[in-house]
Amino acid sequence: MLTGWAALAAAAVSFACTFFLRALPFLFLGRNKQIPSFIQYLGKALPAAIMAVLVIYCLRNIGIDDNGMKQVAAVLFTACIHIWKKNTYLSIITGTAFYMILIALAWLVSSNCGING
């Protein structure tokens, strides 16, 4: 656990790093320079690529058991909501809620049926 001064120092370092990283593009590109086409391409291509990598990473070790099917169903539900509404926050919130509901229903069914696990 951090002491008061250590927590303050950690917050100051975090602030300085965040501020520097946010200011870095303005330092290199300036206010009036055109953004290079390569950077514009990366701004369009990377979000989808990062999301694909995250989905693959999260689903890499799932099995065909009940828990794996819940995860796949939640990913498909989230993707459908995102394609339908094109709202990142809505798809994250509803996808998480859907997965939590699936887990709660599975627990409820298993506890009522006397199934251990």
Side-chain angles (χ1 to χ4, degrees):
M1 181 103 175
L2 295 177
T3 64
W5 287 108
L8 187 61
V13 169
S14 296
F15 171 78
C17 290
T18 302
F19 182 79
F20 176 71
L21 289 174
R22 298 285 178 150
L24 196 60
F26 296 105
L27 294 173
F28 282 116
L29 299 175
R31 292 183 182 255
N32 299 327
K33 290 185 182 177
Q34 179 70 19
I35 297 174
S37 60
F38 178 70
I39 301 295
Q40 289 178 351
Y41 168 75
L42 287 177
K44 292 178 183 172
L46 279 181
I50 290 170
M51 288 305 296
V53 168
L54 286 173
V55 168
I56 291 168
Y57 178 78
C58 289
L59 299 178
R60 74 189 186 285
N61 291 329
I62 66 167
I64 304 182
D65 61 347
D66 186 40
N67 194 38
M69 292 299 110
K70 286 184 276 196
Q71 292 173 352
V72 171
V75 167
L76 292 175
F77 180 81
T78 304
C80 290
I81 294 294
H82 188 71
I83 290 169
W84 177 41
K85 289 293 187 176
K86 298 196 181 354
N87 185 325
T88 304
Y89 296 122
L90 178 68
S91 44
I92 290 171
I93 291 168
T94 57
T96 303
F98 182 73
Y99 182 63
M100 292 295 125
I101 290 169
L102 289 177
I103 289 173
L105 288 175
W107 177 82
L108 185 64
V109 167
S110 68
S111 66
N112 284 339
C113 294
I115 300 172
N116 291 331

